């Protein structure tokens, strides 16, 4: 553990934004502060999938308040994740710029299955230990995550496009709770569940847990009416369904003791939970008090203790795609050596860039399993689109972009950013791939890479260069590639 002992997680959900600040003592997390604001971001999605101005204003105001509490914490002690609405919104990139400015920390948009993994992690760490396989269901504002896991290990993860906000808006938008609307909502949810039903049906697990605000609200309603002593039961849901239909509209639910912000999204959440019980043959579900934000905290704790899930994923991908580990190691060692030569003594923190370069080097040949011709393009596609536990969508995109630029035309694939380490990492990777082309443990020359602004210079042993004309020719071609994108790269050969 490093000198700091305070970490924080921000869950930017489709219904609510949540902030959890915690103290770390050895391997345990102790909550210090918790904030929740109902932003209902999913309700601000227009039919053509754009976040409207009002929802953006509400979200930014909330993020400014969260930013005040997080002020002073280092970037590596805070992890912020955006979920389904961020995944869907076409104007999410533009909104993210404003959101990050308001919060003061970078925001990761995570994939549905990564969200499911983190939810399970939050539930499993705080639930009593058991030998049973658990089914965890989390009904969020815009998506529903289903996970089967054992101990702390998620075994199956799925994310479905249905949530309490989106379904309440779609089927109960006028505030009316009619028999037909409820039937249509339940039917739509059951259709969504059909794609995962076989793998998530009872018999694949022994214990069901609900981890969302919807699950907690439903459990509270059943307990208040003596329809279930603890958690959610199938029988209790049937009775609650009759009560909701009798009420007929959302505004009549204020006498049930629900929090005001939960009432407008209860019908949609109920319809999804009812469908989950029916399709997966659940008779009883206990309810957890933890979910995504706690999972993010424990995942962040793992990174701080050098138990990063992203490293596990990279190693799994190397095995899955039959990457040559010796060649990957050659490229990794040389690219990191060159990168460190140039970035040593820099004022900025280059640890993240170095870590990403290491992953890129380990996975740079992942596309060869598809075809050798243009394998860097296949590699980039896999890295940008595969489910990669631990990685955010932005991290996958950055990794894919770096791997795509490892060879071939730079002008076609490279859009230079203002971050100098991006150029350096790509140059280091390209040079490592070039020098390790023989795929054997040949003795490479001493080399020194230097940088001054947009100018790079590599110094090599003159005698070695004369004895390796193929490499010399490739280096001269590299000079021209960088010149085409406005970067001066030169080669100096001298007797060393």
């Amino acid at each position: 553990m490093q000198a700091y002992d305070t970490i924080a997680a921000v869950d930017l959900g489709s219904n609510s934004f949540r902030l959890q600040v915690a103290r770390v003592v050895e391997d345990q997390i102790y909550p210090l502060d918790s904030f929740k604001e109902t932003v209902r971001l999913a309700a601000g999605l227009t039919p053509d999938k754009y976040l409207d101005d009002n929802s953006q204003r509400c979200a930014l105001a909330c993020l400014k308040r969260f930013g005040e509490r997080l002020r002073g914490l280092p970037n590596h002690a805070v992890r912020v994740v955006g979920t389904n609405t961020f995944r869907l919104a076409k104007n999410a990139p533009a909104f993210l710029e404003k959101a990050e400015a308001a919060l003061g920390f970078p925001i990761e948009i995570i994939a549905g299955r990564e969200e499911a993994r983190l939810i399970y992690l939050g539930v499993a760490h705080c639930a009593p230990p058991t030998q049973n396989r658990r089914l965890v269901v989390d009904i969020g504002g815009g998506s529903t995550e289903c996970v089967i896991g054992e101990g702390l290990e998620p075994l199956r993860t799925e994310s479905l496009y249905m949530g309490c906000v989106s379904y309440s808006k779609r089927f109960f938008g006028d505030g009316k709770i009619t028999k037909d609307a409820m039937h249509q909502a339940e039917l739509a949810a059951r259709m969504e569940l059909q794609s995962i039903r076989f793998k998530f049906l009872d018999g694949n697990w022994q214990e069901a847990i609900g981890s969302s605000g919807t699950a907690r609200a439903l459990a509270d309603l059943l307990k208040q009416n003596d329809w279930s002593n603890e958690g959610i039961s199938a029988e209790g849901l049937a009775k609650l369904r009759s009560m909701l239909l009798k009420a007929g509209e959302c505004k009549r639910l204020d006498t049930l003791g629900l929090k005001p912000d939960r009432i407008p999204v209860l019908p949609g959440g109920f319809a999804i939970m009812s469908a989950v019980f029916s399709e997966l043959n659940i008779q009883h579900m206990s309810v957890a008090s933890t979910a995504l934000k706690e999972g993010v905290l424990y995942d962040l704790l793992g990174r701080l203790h050098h138990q990063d899930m992203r490293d596990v994923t990279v190693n799994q991908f190397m095995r899955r795609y039959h990457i040559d580990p010796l060649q990957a190691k050659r490229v990794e060692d040389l690219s990191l050596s060159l990168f460190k030569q140039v970035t040593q003594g820099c004022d900025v923190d280059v640890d993240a860039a170095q870590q990403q370069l290491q992953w890129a080097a380990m996975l740079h040949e992942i596309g060869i399993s598809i075809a050798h011709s243009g394998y860097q393009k296949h590699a980039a596609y896999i890295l940008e689109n595969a489910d990669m536990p631990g990685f955010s969508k932005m991290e996958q995109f950055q990794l894919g972009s770096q791997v795509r630029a490892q060879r071939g035309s730079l002008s076609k694939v490279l859009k230079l950013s203002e971050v100098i380490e991006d150029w350096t990492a790509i140059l280091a990777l390209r040079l490592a791939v070039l020098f390790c082309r023989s795929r054997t443990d040949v003795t490479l020359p001493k080399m020194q890479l230097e940088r001054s602004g947009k100018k790079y210079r590599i110094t090599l042993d003159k005698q070695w260069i004369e004895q390796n004309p193929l490499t010399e020719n490739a280096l001269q071609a590299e000079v021209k590639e960088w010149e085409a994108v406005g970067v001066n790269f030169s080669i100096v050969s001298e007797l060393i």
Side-chain angles (χ1 to χ4, degrees), residues 84 138-146 159-167 170 185 188-193 272-273 275-276:
N84 186 68
D138 187 286
I139 301 171
S143 64
T144 294
E145 280 63 49
C146 298
S159 180
L160 303 172
Y161 288 112
M162 56 184 189
C164 63
V165 176
S166 58
Y167 265 46
R170 176 180 169 186
R190 293 182 73 163
M191 290 293 290
E192 284 286 329
L193 286 157
I272 294 170
M273 184 65 81
V276 167

Side-chain angles (χ1 to χ4, degrees), residues 173-194:
D174 59 357
K176 306 290 184 182
I177 309 174
T178 65
K179 187 175 181 179
D180 181 63
M182 184 62 73
H183 173 71
Q184 293 300 322
E186 289 175 330
L187 186 62
R190 293 182 73 163
M191 290 293 290
E192 284 286 329
L193 286 157
Q194 282 295 306

Side-chain angles (χ1 to χ4, degrees), residues 310 339 349-359 395 398:
R310 293 172 296 179
F339 183 79
D349 182 6
V350 297
D351 288 348
Q354 182 176 313
Q355 187 179 43
Q356 180 174 292
L357 174 58
Q358 182 178 13
W359 291 328
E395 285 173 329
Q398 291 169 342

Side-chain angles (χ1 to χ4, degrees), residues 53-102:
D53 291 341
N54 185 57
S55 64
Q56 290 191 47
R57 280 193 297 270
C58 291
L60 293 174
C62 172
L63 291 174
K64 285 181 181 178
R65 291 188 284 272
F66 282 9
E68 179 186 346
R69 177 60 183 87
L70 294 171
R71 200 175 297 150
L73 289 177
N75 271 13
H76 41 256
V78 179
R79 190 176 180 197
V80 188
V81 298
T83 58
N84 186 68
T85 300
F86 285 88
R87 295 193 288 265
L88 292 178
K90 294 179 181 178
N91 56 341
F95 174 64
L96 273 178
E97 289 186 23
K98 295 181 285 185
E100 290 179 340

Side-chain angles (χ1 to χ4, degrees), residues 392-444:
S392 69
K393 297 303 289 183
M394 180 55 70
E395 285 173 329
Q396 288 186 232
F397 177 77
Q398 291 169 342
L399 192 59
S401 298
Q402 199 168 83
V403 168
R404 184 183 284 107
Q406 68 177 280
R407 63 198 286 260
S409 172
L410 277 171
S411 57
K412 289 183 179 179
V413 300
L414 187 59
K415 183 179 180 182
L416 292 179
S417 74
E418 294 302 315
V419 183
I420 200 80
E421 283 72 33
D422 286 353
W423 315 339
T424 305
I426 290 170
L427 177 58
L429 181 61
R430 286 176 69 92
L431 290 175
V433 170
L434 188 155
F435 278 106
C436 297
R437 194 170 188 172
S438 70
R439 308 183 70 85
T440 58
D441 292 324
V442 297
T443 301
L444 294 174

Side-chain angles (χ1 to χ4, degrees), residues 106-127:
I107 297 170
E108 306 173 23
I109 301 178
I110 56 175
R113 286 182 175 172
E114 171 65 359
E115 182 179 351
R117 183 187 74 86
L118 291 170
I119 288 167
Y120 182 84
L121 201 61
V123 172
H125 267 95
C126 302

Side-chain angles (χ1 to χ4, degrees), residues 297-435:
L297 283 176
Y298 277 102
D299 199 57
L300 181 57
L301 178 62
R303 294 183 182 186
L304 300 178
H305 282 175
H306 306 292
Q307 299 169 343
D308 196 329
M309 185 64 199
R310 293 172 296 179
D311 291 328
V312 176
T313 295
V314 169
N315 288 321
Q316 288 176 342
F317 269 51
M318 288 184 71
R319 291 192 296 272
R320 183 190 304 175
Y321 291 95
H322 309 292
I323 291 174
D324 180 351
L326 295 178
Q327 179 66 2
K329 182 63 175 172
R330 293 182 194 104
V331 172
E332 176 191 346
D333 288 345
L334 182 53
S335 61
L336 288 177
S337 173
L338 293 169
F339 183 79
K340 289 173 183 177
Q341 287 178 15
V342 176
T343 56
Q344 190 172 14
C346 287
D347 294 333
V348 294
D349 182 6
V350 297
D351 288 348
Q354 182 176 313
Q355 187 179 43
Q356 180 174 292
L357 174 58
Q358 182 178 13
W359 291 328
M362 294 170 74
L363 297 174
H364 79 282
E365 289 192 331
I366 196 173
I368 287 180
S369 61
I370 297 174
H372 184 272
S373 176
Y375 73 80
Q376 73 274 15
K377 300 174 187 176
H378 304 311
Y381 181 84
I382 293 170
L383 295 173
E384 290 168 1
N385 293 281
D387 285 317
M388 297 184 68
F391 285 88
S392 69
K393 297 303 289 183
M394 180 55 70
E395 285 173 329
Q396 288 186 232
F397 177 77
Q398 291 169 342
L399 192 59
S401 298
Q402 199 168 83
V403 168
R404 184 183 284 107
Q406 68 177 280
R407 63 198 286 260
S409 172
L410 277 171
S411 57
K412 289 183 179 179
V413 300
L414 187 59
K415 183 179 180 182
L416 292 179
S417 74
E418 294 302 315
V419 183
I420 200 80
E421 283 72 33
D422 286 353
W423 315 339
T424 305
I426 290 170
L427 177 58
L429 181 61
R430 286 176 69 92
L431 290 175
V433 170
L434 188 155
F435 278 106

